[in-house]
Amino acid sequence: MAEVSIKCPQCGMELKAPNEDELAKNFKAHTHEVHDMEMSEEEAKQKVKMMRGGM
Ligand SMILES: [Zn+2]
């Protein structure tokens, strides 16, 4: 099974999920819980795409 991952740009923590949608949700939850940041799901998806494209 393919797995996708990104590193949080704020703290470098690796976030993993089975697909990009789940990864966006994880990233959204992570930035909210750990960094006290709010972003929409759409915004999280775009950032995940950008980060994955850049790696
Ligand atoms: Zn982080």
Side-chain angles (χ1 to χ4, degrees):
M1 194 168 71
E3 196 177 58
V4 291
S5 71
I6 53 162
K7 277 190 180 149
C8 172
Q10 310 263 335
C11 67
M13 186 178 146
E14 194 169 29
L15 305 171
K16 287 181 185 174
N19 60 57
E20 217 170 63
D21 277 2
E22 290 298 315
L23 188 57
K25 280 181 198 167
N26 286 356
F27 180 52
K28 183 178 186 290
H30 170 84
T31 51
H32 181 68
E33 283 165 23
V34 180
H35 306 296
D36 203 24
M37 279 167 57
E38 279 294 349
M39 70 173 81
S40 70
E41 220 163 280
E42 200 51 46
E43 200 177 344
K45 271 183 201 174
Q46 282 175 7
K47 289 192 177 180
V48 164
K49 276 208 172 85
M50 270 169 47
M51 282 187 272
R52 295 196 63 225
M55 278 194 295

